[in-house]
Amino acid sequence: MPDKVIFDTAIIGAGPAGLSAAIYTSRALLKTVVIEKVGSGGQAALTDEIENYPGFPEGVNGYELTRKMDEQAKKFGAWFEYGEVNSVSQDGELFTIDISDKSYKARTIIITTGVSPKRLGLPDEEKFIGNGISFCATCDAAFYRNKVAAVIGGGDSAIVEAVFLTKFASKVYVIHRRDQLRASKIVQERALKNEKIEVLWDTVIDSLHGDKKLDALTVRNVKSGALSELAVDGIFLYIGGDPNTKYLSGIGVSLDDKGFIVTDGDMKTNVPGVFAAGDCRSKPFRQVVTAAGDGALAAWSVEKYLEEQEK
Amino acid sequence: MPDKVIFDTAIIGAGPAGLSAAIYTSRALLKTVVIEKVGSGGQAALTDEIENYPGFPEGVNGYELTRKMDEQAKKFGAWFEYGEVNSVSQDGELFTIDISDKSYKARTIIITTGVSPKRLGLPDEEKFIGNGISFCATCDAAFYRNKVAAVIGGGDSAIVEAVFLTKFASKVYVIHRRDQLRASKIVQERALKNEKIEVLWDTVIDSLHGDKKLDALTVRNVKSGALSELAVDGIFLYIGGDPNTKYLSGIGVSLDDKGFIVTDGDMKTNVPGVFAAGDCRSKPFRQVVTAAGDGALAAWSVEKYLEEQEK
């Protein structure tokens, strides 16, 4: 599709929120472009098994679920473009979205760029990414057959993926800075009775060791201050996410103090014509089904906005 | 399960919002009872094909989709009770939900009782219900083989079901009081190019005729005032819904002027411990996926509320 076209809406990001929005806008016959950096699915696509998306009683693999959503959006005619958005600007009532070698113009935008996994903030961390530091157990667990892994974090993702890792690894440490997990009870129960899992409570990583590849950690008990060494073949970081909203600085969208986008209940931001949905929104609870609900609602708000503009 | 148990939460209604809430609360190991009048699925279960619930690119039958959600909630341990709720009362921090021959006690409630289809408000209407007046094309279309049906309404449900009826009926009138449809564009396009469908614009039903069974209508053009007769074998009402919230009068939940429940963005009502989700909420856009999102969020709010209470 030529980049001279003016789209009714540009959806930035193709996780569950963006795909759901695209299903709704394209089914409403709004000219829709979805601009995605890597591939459809977002963080959900990296999840081994999603048990709580309503409609899949046997659970569903995250990649599989989001592939279906992608197919659904394409079926209704959404146009997909792959590339990283560098900036968004506004000229009158039109938005321009710049990706590396081209730009798209749209009358509205829906921001669904989710979050990026947080890092530890330790020296040498960058060098070990891909060499013993991973953000995706689903992707990398098979490399840990009979090896020792550690999962950092205490939320649902951390604990679900720790359990998944035990299919391959001989031992999985869960390193968590608090004295209780944040994961839902059913997930905790499963992990705590798994013999391969050992939780290191009140513990943080102090430093990373290894030559080319990570092979050990120094961990610190936050209550006693005691340091100890832990030999591992690799670690998986599940310590939350930072919103992917930096590229938006040109259009003055209100963010909260952590950089998440502030919207009203109808997914409107402070900038007329700009909507947001899913994990990048400022909100307390982030799930695939709430992201999908957000996306549908943002699409509806776009439709109403365009109708108003036409009057 | 004995009715002496105190449940962590009682979910009233088992449509997509209630089932999604039940998946989340029971997966969080909260003792959950779902109280449903008829059978799981709500209005969604009466829909022939749902095209826009994310994750089903081929579309999914509404009964089938909600049956899956029901199975998922039961798998995580939600208890289901079938019966009509007569009233809800509050004694201190406990709620009592009365159904015909027993009552349930719970620390929180999630209201997901949706809407009931609106009626025309015409004389003889009651007598024709089930005798030529239906609220569910999916259920009753097969009775209209080679017959003439009329669908009343102009929204998505009305038009989707009008198209569905053309599989059986020889002719389907769409009677709509305005000069344009409210249904989404893709749905409109399909209907308008279907040769069996004729839209009567700016038209309302003035009176119903028939002996035991409805066999004709007098319709009125709202612009010209002209009356005309229309022979039909039956009509399907899709003119919106009234919220099922009357049984709540005992606990002082705030309703809007149409009787829908007012909540905040986290699904809290004005009464501590009482939450609402789905179509019975005061909100502008009602879809299966937004109901499911609401349900998950209400479950999360229940969890947070109970944690606070325990402190």
Side-chain angles (χ1 to χ4, degrees):
Chain A
M1 194 169 287
D3 50 4
K4 297 281 151 44
V5 172
I6 293 175
F7 285 90
D8 292 317
T9 194
I11 298 169
I12 308 179
L19 294 172
S20 175
I23 290 167
Y24 272 83
T25 58
S26 53
R27 191 161 176 275
L29 303 187
L30 298 180
K31 228 177 281 167
T32 300
V33 59
V34 180
I35 304 172
E36 163 60 34
K37 186 164 73 168
V38 197
S40 285
Q43 296 271 103
L46 307 180
T47 307
D48 177 47
E49 196 187 355
I50 298 172
E51 284 191 333
N52 51 12
Y53 186 73
F56 294 85
E58 310 301 332
V60 58
N61 173 275
Y63 176 77
E64 176 68 12
L65 174 62
T66 53
R67 198 196 49 73
K68 284 173 195 275
M69 294 180 180
D70 174 78
E71 190 184 331
Q72 205 166 349
K74 286 174 177 160
K75 180 181 149 190
F76 289 120
W79 177 257
F80 278 65
E81 171 70 46
Y82 297 94
E84 184 162 5
V85 173
N86 296 317
S87 67
V88 177
S89 56
Q90 182 173 15
D91 182 12
E93 282 169 359
L94 268 193
F95 297 94
T96 301
I97 301 104
D98 281 310
I99 60 175
S100 52
D101 57 344
K102 55 182 123 174
S103 66
Y104 279 87
K105 288 199 186 299
R107 298 166 65 199
T108 63
I109 58 177
I110 305 178
I111 307 162
T112 61
T113 31
V115 297
S116 287
K118 266 211 176 89
R119 311 216 165 164
L120 295 164
L122 291 174
D124 287 340
E125 185 172 5
E126 290 303 312
K127 133 179 152 184
F128 289 128
I129 287 174
N131 295 301
I133 295 183
S134 170
F135 302 98
C136 176
T138 306
C139 318
D140 297 336
F143 300 123
Y144 285 80
R145 203 173 290 276
N146 301 319
K147 293 188 173 176
V148 176
V151 168
I152 322 305
D156 262 328
S157 309
I159 307 308
V160 166
E161 301 299 319
V163 172
F164 179 68
L165 274 163
T166 63
K167 290 186 189 179
F168 301 90
S170 54
K171 173 93 188 176
V172 177
Y173 294 103
V174 171
I175 300 177
H176 185 49
R177 64 191 162 137
R178 301 192 198 284
D179 60 5
Q180 55 181 349
L181 301 175
R182 205 163 33 78
S184 61
K185 301 262 163 48
I186 206 162
V187 167
Q188 289 194 31
E189 275 196 352
R190 261 179 233 157
L192 297 175
K193 69 183 181 209
N194 186 310
E195 291 179 353
K196 285 185 174 180
I197 290 180
E198 180 178 343
V199 184
L200 307 182
W201 302 104
D202 302 312
T203 300
V204 296
I205 299 181
D206 202 65
S207 55
L208 305 165
H209 310 291
D211 184 13
K212 286 183 179 153
K213 240 194 116 303
L214 181 72
D215 57 26
L217 312 171
T218 301
V219 296
R220 178 164 45 89
N221 184 297
V222 292
K223 288 190 174 160
S224 69
L227 295 174
S228 48
E229 295 286 303
L230 199 68
V232 295
D233 295 296
I235 64 175
F236 292 82
L237 303 188
Y238 285 99
I239 51 175
D242 289 316
N244 296 320
T245 53
K246 293 205 182 73
Y247 66 94
L248 293 169
S249 59
I251 51 169
V253 172
S254 283
L255 307 177
D256 71 12
D257 57 353
K258 289 179 175 159
F260 291 92
I261 299 165
V262 178
T263 72
D264 68 6
D266 295 341
M267 310 295 131
K268 286 183 201 125
T269 71
N270 61 312
V271 181
V274 179
F275 305 82
D279 287 5
C280 64
R281 269 181 70 213
S282 180
K283 60 176 185 175
F285 187 54
R286 296 183 171 84
Q287 296 285 301
V288 175
V289 70
T290 57
D294 278 8
L297 193 46
W300 176 85
S301 287
V302 161
E303 233 186 308
K304 296 302 128 190
Y305 172 84
L306 291 173
E307 279 168 15
E308 281 301 309
Q309 294 290 101
E310 275 160 23
K311 270 176 195 165
Chain B
M1 192 169 286
D3 50 5
K4 297 281 152 43
V5 172
I6 293 174
F7 285 89
D8 291 317
T9 194
I11 298 169
I12 309 179
L19 294 172
S20 175
I23 290 167
Y24 272 83
T25 58
S26 54
R27 192 160 176 273
L29 303 186
L30 299 180
K31 227 177 283 166
T32 300
V33 60
V34 180
I35 305 172
E36 163 59 34
K37 186 164 73 167
V38 197
S40 285
Q43 295 272 101
L46 307 181
T47 307
D48 177 48
E49 196 188 354
I50 297 172
E51 284 191 333
N52 51 12
Y53 186 73
F56 294 86
E58 310 302 330
V60 59
N61 173 274
Y63 176 78
E64 175 68 13
L65 174 62
T66 54
R67 199 195 49 72
K68 285 173 193 275
M69 294 180 179
D70 175 77
E71 188 184 332
Q72 204 167 349
K74 285 174 178 161
K75 180 182 150 190
F76 289 119
W79 177 258
F80 278 66
E81 171 70 46
Y82 297 94
E84 183 163 5
V85 173
N86 297 317
S87 66
V88 177
S89 56
Q90 182 173 15
D91 182 12
E93 280 168 359
L94 268 193
F95 297 94
T96 301
I97 301 104
D98 282 310
I99 60 174
S100 52
D101 57 345
K102 54 183 125 175
S103 65
Y104 279 87
K105 288 199 186 299
R107 298 167 65 200
T108 62
I109 58 178
I110 305 178
I111 306 162
T112 62
T113 30
V115 296
S116 288
K118 266 211 177 88
R119 311 214 164 167
L120 295 164
L122 291 175
D124 286 341
E125 185 172 6
E126 289 304 313
K127 129 178 157 187
F128 290 128
I129 288 174
N131 294 301
I133 296 183
S134 169
F135 302 98
C136 177
T138 306
C139 318
D140 297 335
F143 300 123
Y144 286 80
R145 203 174 291 277
N146 301 320
K147 293 190 173 175
V148 176
V151 169
I152 322 303
D156 262 327
S157 308
I159 308 307
V160 166
E161 300 299 319
V163 171
F164 178 69
L165 273 163
T166 63
K167 290 186 187 177
F168 300 91
S170 55
K171 173 93 187 177
V172 177
Y173 294 103
V174 171
I175 299 178
H176 186 47
R177 65 190 161 137
R178 299 190 198 285
D179 59 4
Q180 55 181 347
L181 302 175
R182 206 162 32 78
S184 61
K185 301 261 163 50
I186 206 164
V187 167
Q188 288 194 31
E189 274 196 354
R190 262 181 231 153
L192 297 176
K193 70 183 180 209
N194 186 311
E195 291 179 353
K196 286 184 174 178
I197 291 181
E198 180 179 344
V199 184
L200 306 183
W201 302 103
D202 303 312
T203 300
V204 296
I205 299 182
D206 201 66
S207 54
L208 304 165
H209 310 292
D211 184 14
K212 285 183 180 155
K213 239 194 117 304
L214 181 73
D215 57 25
L217 313 172
T218 301
V219 296
R220 179 165 45 88
N221 184 297
V222 293
K223 288 190 174 159
S224 69
L227 295 174
S228 49
E229 294 287 303
L230 199 67
V232 295
D233 295 296
I235 64 176
F236 292 82
L237 302 188
Y238 286 100
I239 50 176
D242 288 315
N244 297 319
T245 53
K246 293 204 182 75
Y247 65 94
L248 293 168
S249 59
I251 51 170
V253 172
S254 283
L255 307 177
D256 71 12
D257 57 354
K258 290 178 175 159
F260 291 93
I261 299 165
V262 178
T263 72
D264 69 5
D266 294 341
M267 309 296 130
K268 286 183 202 124
T269 71
N270 62 314
V271 181
V274 179
F275 305 81
D279 287 4
C280 64
R281 269 181 71 215
S282 181
K283 60 176 185 174
F285 187 53
R286 296 183 170 84
Q287 296 285 302
V288 176
V289 69
T290 58
D294 278 7
L297 193 47
W300 176 85
S301 287
V302 161
E303 232 186 309
K304 296 302 128 190
Y305 172 84
L306 292 173
E307 279 168 14
E308 282 301 309
Q309 295 290 100
E310 275 159 23
K311 268 176 196 164

PDB file of all heavy atoms in Angstrom, chain A residues 16 63 67 92 110 112 125-126 134 136 144 160 163 172 176 180 212 234 236 269 289-290 304 307:
ATOM      1  N   PRO A  16      -1.907  -7.950  21.863  1.00  0.00           N
ATOM      2  CA  PRO A  16      -3.355  -8.179  21.951  1.00  0.00           C
ATOM      3  C   PRO A  16      -4.191  -6.892  21.871  1.00  0.00           C
ATOM      4  O   PRO A  16      -5.244  -6.890  21.230  1.00  0.00           O
ATOM      5  CB  PRO A  16      -3.521  -8.855  23.318  1.00  0.00           C
ATOM      6  CG  PRO A  16      -2.231  -9.589  23.508  1.00  0.00           C
ATOM      7  CD  PRO A  16      -1.179  -8.683  22.926  1.00  0.00           C
ATOM      8  N   TYR A  63       1.840 -17.544  21.609  1.00  0.00           N
ATOM      9  CA  TYR A  63       2.136 -17.276  20.203  1.00  0.00           C
ATOM     10  C   TYR A  63       0.943 -17.668  19.347  1.00  0.00           C
ATOM     11  O   TYR A  63       0.522 -16.934  18.440  1.00  0.00           O
ATOM     12  CB  TYR A  63       3.392 -18.054  19.769  1.00  0.00           C
ATOM     13  CG  TYR A  63       3.680 -17.891  18.301  1.00  0.00           C
ATOM     14  CD1 TYR A  63       4.259 -16.719  17.812  1.00  0.00           C
ATOM     15  CD2 TYR A  63       3.346 -18.897  17.395  1.00  0.00           C
ATOM     16  CE1 TYR A  63       4.480 -16.543  16.459  1.00  0.00           C
ATOM     17  CE2 TYR A  63       3.567 -18.728  16.041  1.00  0.00           C
ATOM     18  CZ  TYR A  63       4.136 -17.551  15.580  1.00  0.00           C
ATOM     19  OH  TYR A  63       4.346 -17.387  14.230  1.00  0.00           O
ATOM     20  N   ARG A  67      -1.324 -15.200  17.115  1.00  0.00           N
ATOM     21  CA  ARG A  67      -1.324 -15.465  15.676  1.00  0.00           C
ATOM     22  C   ARG A  67      -2.767 -15.486  15.157  1.00  0.00           C
ATOM     23  O   ARG A  67      -3.075 -14.996  14.072  1.00  0.00           O
ATOM     24  CB  ARG A  67      -0.629 -16.804  15.396  1.00  0.00           C
ATOM     25  CG  ARG A  67      -0.163 -17.014  13.953  1.00  0.00           C
ATOM     26  CD  ARG A  67       0.145 -18.471  13.704  1.00  0.00           C
ATOM     27  NE  ARG A  67      -0.934 -19.344  14.155  1.00  0.00           N
ATOM     28  CZ  ARG A  67      -2.112 -19.486  13.550  1.00  0.00           C
ATOM     29  NH1 ARG A  67      -2.381 -18.802  12.467  1.00  0.00           N
ATOM     30  NH2 ARG A  67      -3.025 -20.300  14.055  1.00  0.00           N
ATOM     31  N   GLY A  92      -1.856  19.992  12.096  1.00  0.00           N
ATOM     32  CA  GLY A  92      -3.307  20.208  12.045  1.00  0.00           C
ATOM     33  C   GLY A  92      -4.000  18.981  12.607  1.00  0.00           C
ATOM     34  O   GLY A  92      -3.682  18.541  13.709  1.00  0.00           O
ATOM     35  N   ILE A 110      -3.795   4.956  17.570  1.00  0.00           N
ATOM     36  CA  ILE A 110      -4.036   4.168  18.777  1.00  0.00           C
ATOM     37  C   ILE A 110      -2.684   3.599  19.210  1.00  0.00           C
ATOM     38  O   ILE A 110      -2.038   2.874  18.452  1.00  0.00           O
ATOM     39  CB  ILE A 110      -5.035   3.015  18.536  1.00  0.00           C
ATOM     40  CG1 ILE A 110      -6.349   3.546  17.941  1.00  0.00           C
ATOM     41  CG2 ILE A 110      -5.301   2.262  19.842  1.00  0.00           C
ATOM     42  CD1 ILE A 110      -7.379   2.445  17.623  1.00  0.00           C
ATOM     43  N   THR A 112      -0.452   1.238  21.234  1.00  0.00           N
ATOM     44  CA  THR A 112      -0.545  -0.057  21.928  1.00  0.00           C
ATOM     45  C   THR A 112       0.838  -0.707  21.952  1.00  0.00           C
ATOM     46  O   THR A 112       0.982  -1.887  21.645  1.00  0.00           O
ATOM     47  CB  THR A 112      -1.533  -0.998  21.197  1.00  0.00           C
ATOM     48  OG1 THR A 112      -1.046  -1.238  19.874  1.00  0.00           O
ATOM     49  CG2 THR A 112      -2.928  -0.409  21.114  1.00  0.00           C
ATOM     50  N   GLU A 125      25.665  -6.167  32.441  1.00  0.00           N
ATOM     51  CA  GLU A 125      24.380  -6.780  32.090  1.00  0.00           C
ATOM     52  C   GLU A 125      24.207  -6.866  30.565  1.00  0.00           C
ATOM     53  O   GLU A 125      23.832  -7.915  30.042  1.00  0.00           O
ATOM     54  CB  GLU A 125      23.242  -5.951  32.702  1.00  0.00           C
ATOM     55  CG  GLU A 125      21.874  -6.567  32.511  1.00  0.00           C
ATOM     56  CD  GLU A 125      20.802  -5.808  33.300  1.00  0.00           C
ATOM     57  OE1 GLU A 125      21.139  -4.770  33.900  1.00  0.00           O
ATOM     58  OE2 GLU A 125      19.655  -6.260  33.299  1.00  0.00           O
ATOM     59  N   GLU A 126      24.527  -5.759  29.870  1.00  0.00           N
ATOM     60  CA  GLU A 126      24.341  -5.740  28.415  1.00  0.00           C
ATOM     61  C   GLU A 126      25.118  -6.862  27.735  1.00  0.00           C
ATOM     62  O   GLU A 126      24.617  -7.519  26.834  1.00  0.00           O
ATOM     63  CB  GLU A 126      24.755  -4.381  27.825  1.00  0.00           C
ATOM     64  CG  GLU A 126      23.827  -3.229  28.175  1.00  0.00           C
ATOM     65  CD  GLU A 126      22.368  -3.465  27.769  1.00  0.00           C
ATOM     66  OE1 GLU A 126      22.131  -3.879  26.625  1.00  0.00           O
ATOM     67  OE2 GLU A 126      21.490  -3.234  28.628  1.00  0.00           O
ATOM     68  N   SER A 134      18.209 -13.851  29.668  1.00  0.00           N
ATOM     69  CA  SER A 134      17.103 -13.961  28.726  1.00  0.00           C
ATOM     70  C   SER A 134      15.866 -13.292  29.314  1.00  0.00           C
ATOM     71  O   SER A 134      15.736 -13.169  30.537  1.00  0.00           O
ATOM     72  CB  SER A 134      16.821 -15.433  28.439  1.00  0.00           C
ATOM     73  OG  SER A 134      15.607 -15.579  27.715  1.00  0.00           O
ATOM     74  N   CYS A 136      12.828 -14.417  28.005  1.00  0.00           N
ATOM     75  CA  CYS A 136      11.764 -15.261  27.461  1.00  0.00           C
ATOM     76  C   CYS A 136      12.072 -16.736  27.659  1.00  0.00           C
ATOM     77  O   CYS A 136      12.791 -17.347  26.869  1.00  0.00           O
ATOM     78  CB  CYS A 136      11.573 -14.947  25.977  1.00  0.00           C
ATOM     79  SG  CYS A 136      10.356 -15.995  25.170  1.00  0.00           S
ATOM     80  N   TYR A 144      18.313 -25.106  28.182  1.00  0.00           N
ATOM     81  CA  TYR A 144      18.663 -25.339  29.592  1.00  0.00           C
ATOM     82  C   TYR A 144      18.443 -26.780  30.041  1.00  0.00           C
ATOM     83  O   TYR A 144      18.301 -27.056  31.215  1.00  0.00           O
ATOM     84  CB  TYR A 144      17.891 -24.351  30.480  1.00  0.00           C
ATOM     85  CG  TYR A 144      18.509 -22.970  30.361  1.00  0.00           C
ATOM     86  CD1 TYR A 144      18.210 -22.161  29.278  1.00  0.00           C
ATOM     87  CD2 TYR A 144      19.467 -22.531  31.281  1.00  0.00           C
ATOM     88  CE1 TYR A 144      18.813 -20.925  29.120  1.00  0.00           C
ATOM     89  CE2 TYR A 144      20.075 -21.304  31.134  1.00  0.00           C
ATOM     90  CZ  TYR A 144      19.751 -20.495  30.058  1.00  0.00           C
ATOM     91  OH  TYR A 144      20.374 -19.289  29.904  1.00  0.00           O
ATOM     92  N   VAL A 160       5.122 -18.600  36.453  1.00  0.00           N
ATOM     93  CA  VAL A 160       4.679 -19.494  35.368  1.00  0.00           C
ATOM     94  C   VAL A 160       5.882 -19.969  34.564  1.00  0.00           C
ATOM     95  O   VAL A 160       6.024 -21.155  34.250  1.00  0.00           O
ATOM     96  CB  VAL A 160       3.665 -18.770  34.445  1.00  0.00           C
ATOM     97  CG1 VAL A 160       3.451 -19.528  33.141  1.00  0.00           C
ATOM     98  CG2 VAL A 160       2.344 -18.572  35.164  1.00  0.00           C
ATOM     99  N   VAL A 163       8.101 -22.527  36.376  1.00  0.00           N
ATOM    100  CA  VAL A 163       7.536 -23.878  36.284  1.00  0.00           C
ATOM    101  C   VAL A 163       7.824 -24.468  34.899  1.00  0.00           C
ATOM    102  O   VAL A 163       8.231 -25.621  34.767  1.00  0.00           O
ATOM    103  CB  VAL A 163       6.016 -23.865  36.579  1.00  0.00           C
ATOM    104  CG1 VAL A 163       5.391 -25.221  36.289  1.00  0.00           C
ATOM    105  CG2 VAL A 163       5.767 -23.444  38.030  1.00  0.00           C
ATOM    106  N   VAL A 172      15.787 -24.915  39.172  1.00  0.00           N
ATOM    107  CA  VAL A 172      15.401 -23.535  38.864  1.00  0.00           C
ATOM    108  C   VAL A 172      15.286 -22.737  40.168  1.00  0.00           C
ATOM    109  O   VAL A 172      14.465 -23.058  41.035  1.00  0.00           O
ATOM    110  CB  VAL A 172      14.054 -23.469  38.102  1.00  0.00           C
ATOM    111  CG1 VAL A 172      13.643 -22.018  37.852  1.00  0.00           C
ATOM    112  CG2 VAL A 172      14.128 -24.232  36.778  1.00  0.00           C
ATOM    113  N   HIS A 176      13.722 -13.660  44.527  1.00  0.00           N
ATOM    114  CA  HIS A 176      12.677 -12.655  44.718  1.00  0.00           C
ATOM    115  C   HIS A 176      13.026 -11.756  45.896  1.00  0.00           C
ATOM    116  O   HIS A 176      13.413 -12.227  46.963  1.00  0.00           O
ATOM    117  CB  HIS A 176      11.336 -13.361  44.947  1.00  0.00           C
ATOM    118  CG  HIS A 176      10.179 -12.412  45.025  1.00  0.00           C
ATOM    119  ND1 HIS A 176       9.980 -11.419  44.089  1.00  0.00           N
ATOM    120  CD2 HIS A 176       9.149 -12.316  45.905  1.00  0.00           C
ATOM    121  CE1 HIS A 176       8.889 -10.738  44.413  1.00  0.00           C
ATOM    122  NE2 HIS A 176       8.369 -11.260  45.508  1.00  0.00           N
ATOM    123  N   GLN A 180       7.203 -12.705  50.050  1.00  0.00           N
ATOM    124  CA  GLN A 180       6.094 -13.459  49.453  1.00  0.00           C
ATOM    125  C   GLN A 180       5.964 -13.123  47.976  1.00  0.00           C
ATOM    126  O   GLN A 180       6.395 -12.065  47.532  1.00  0.00           O
ATOM    127  CB  GLN A 180       4.783 -13.205  50.196  1.00  0.00           C
ATOM    128  CG  GLN A 180       4.420 -11.736  50.291  1.00  0.00           C
ATOM    129  CD  GLN A 180       3.117 -11.536  51.060  1.00  0.00           C
ATOM    130  OE1 GLN A 180       2.405 -12.487  51.346  1.00  0.00           O
ATOM    131  NE2 GLN A 180       2.803 -10.289  51.357  1.00  0.00           N
ATOM    132  N   LYS A 212      32.740 -14.939  28.773  1.00  0.00           N
ATOM    133  CA  LYS A 212      31.827 -14.508  27.699  1.00  0.00           C
ATOM    134  C   LYS A 212      30.380 -14.770  28.067  1.00  0.00           C
ATOM    135  O   LYS A 212      29.486 -14.064  27.620  1.00  0.00           O
ATOM    136  CB  LYS A 212      32.179 -15.243  26.408  1.00  0.00           C
ATOM    137  CG  LYS A 212      33.458 -14.691  25.788  1.00  0.00           C
ATOM    138  CD  LYS A 212      33.766 -15.354  24.479  1.00  0.00           C
ATOM    139  CE  LYS A 212      35.034 -14.777  23.865  1.00  0.00           C
ATOM    140  NZ  LYS A 212      35.705 -15.749  22.995  1.00  0.00           N
ATOM    141  N   GLY A 234      22.284 -19.618  33.555  1.00  0.00           N
ATOM    142  CA  GLY A 234      21.630 -18.456  32.954  1.00  0.00           C
ATOM    143  C   GLY A 234      20.497 -17.969  33.831  1.00  0.00           C
ATOM    144  O   GLY A 234      20.044 -18.672  34.741  1.00  0.00           O
ATOM    145  N   PHE A 236      16.677 -15.553  33.910  1.00  0.00           N
ATOM    146  CA  PHE A 236      15.532 -15.022  33.157  1.00  0.00           C
ATOM    147  C   PHE A 236      14.931 -13.877  33.961  1.00  0.00           C
ATOM    148  O   PHE A 236      14.550 -14.061  35.113  1.00  0.00           O
ATOM    149  CB  PHE A 236      14.480 -16.125  32.941  1.00  0.00           C
ATOM    150  CG  PHE A 236      14.956 -17.206  32.012  1.00  0.00           C
ATOM    151  CD1 PHE A 236      15.769 -18.233  32.474  1.00  0.00           C
ATOM    152  CD2 PHE A 236      14.624 -17.175  30.666  1.00  0.00           C
ATOM    153  CE1 PHE A 236      16.229 -19.226  31.612  1.00  0.00           C
ATOM    154  CE2 PHE A 236      15.075 -18.154  29.796  1.00  0.00           C
ATOM    155  CZ  PHE A 236      15.890 -19.187  30.267  1.00  0.00           C
ATOM    156  N   THR A 269      -6.633   9.859  25.163  1.00  0.00           N
ATOM    157  CA  THR A 269      -5.573  10.578  25.856  1.00  0.00           C
ATOM    158  C   THR A 269      -5.955  12.054  25.900  1.00  0.00           C
ATOM    159  O   THR A 269      -7.024  12.441  25.438  1.00  0.00           O
ATOM    160  CB  THR A 269      -4.225  10.444  25.118  1.00  0.00           C
ATOM    161  OG1 THR A 269      -4.285  11.218  23.913  1.00  0.00           O
ATOM    162  CG2 THR A 269      -3.916   8.987  24.779  1.00  0.00           C
ATOM    163  N   VAL A 289      -6.712 -10.383  28.289  1.00  0.00           N
ATOM    164  CA  VAL A 289      -8.123 -10.065  28.040  1.00  0.00           C
ATOM    165  C   VAL A 289      -8.454  -8.599  28.328  1.00  0.00           C
ATOM    166  O   VAL A 289      -9.293  -8.011  27.631  1.00  0.00           O
ATOM    167  CB  VAL A 289      -9.083 -11.010  28.810  1.00  0.00           C
ATOM    168  CG1 VAL A 289      -9.049 -10.765  30.312  1.00  0.00           C
ATOM    169  CG2 VAL A 289     -10.514 -10.877  28.285  1.00  0.00           C
ATOM    170  N   THR A 290      -7.766  -7.990  29.287  1.00  0.00           N
ATOM    171  CA  THR A 290      -8.047  -6.566  29.521  1.00  0.00           C
ATOM    172  C   THR A 290      -7.433  -5.726  28.395  1.00  0.00           C
ATOM    173  O   THR A 290      -8.011  -4.717  27.980  1.00  0.00           O
ATOM    174  CB  THR A 290      -7.545  -6.081  30.900  1.00  0.00           C
ATOM    175  OG1 THR A 290      -6.141  -6.327  31.010  1.00  0.00           O
ATOM    176  CG2 THR A 290      -8.259  -6.799  32.038  1.00  0.00           C
ATOM    177  N   LYS A 304     -16.160   7.007  16.909  1.00  0.00           N
ATOM    178  CA  LYS A 304     -16.963   8.154  17.356  1.00  0.00           C
ATOM    179  C   LYS A 304     -16.245   9.463  17.054  1.00  0.00           C
ATOM    180  O   LYS A 304     -16.846  10.434  16.616  1.00  0.00           O
ATOM    181  CB  LYS A 304     -17.233   8.072  18.874  1.00  0.00           C
ATOM    182  CG  LYS A 304     -18.068   6.896  19.316  1.00  0.00           C
ATOM    183  CD  LYS A 304     -19.423   6.850  18.651  1.00  0.00           C
ATOM    184  CE  LYS A 304     -19.627   5.475  18.030  1.00  0.00           C
ATOM    185  NZ  LYS A 304     -20.788   5.336  17.166  1.00  0.00           N
ATOM    186  N   GLU A 307     -16.498  10.281  13.377  1.00  0.00           N
ATOM    187  CA  GLU A 307     -17.865  10.722  13.060  1.00  0.00           C
ATOM    188  C   GLU A 307     -18.076  12.187  13.459  1.00  0.00           C
ATOM    189  O   GLU A 307     -18.648  12.969  12.714  1.00  0.00           O
ATOM    190  CB  GLU A 307     -18.897   9.852  13.801  1.00  0.00           C
ATOM    191  CG  GLU A 307     -19.165   8.524  13.107  1.00  0.00           C
ATOM    192  CD  GLU A 307     -19.964   7.561  13.984  1.00  0.00           C
ATOM    193  OE1 GLU A 307     -20.550   8.011  14.996  1.00  0.00           O
ATOM    194  OE2 GLU A 307     -19.978   6.360  13.657  1.00  0.00           O
TER     195      GLU A 307
END
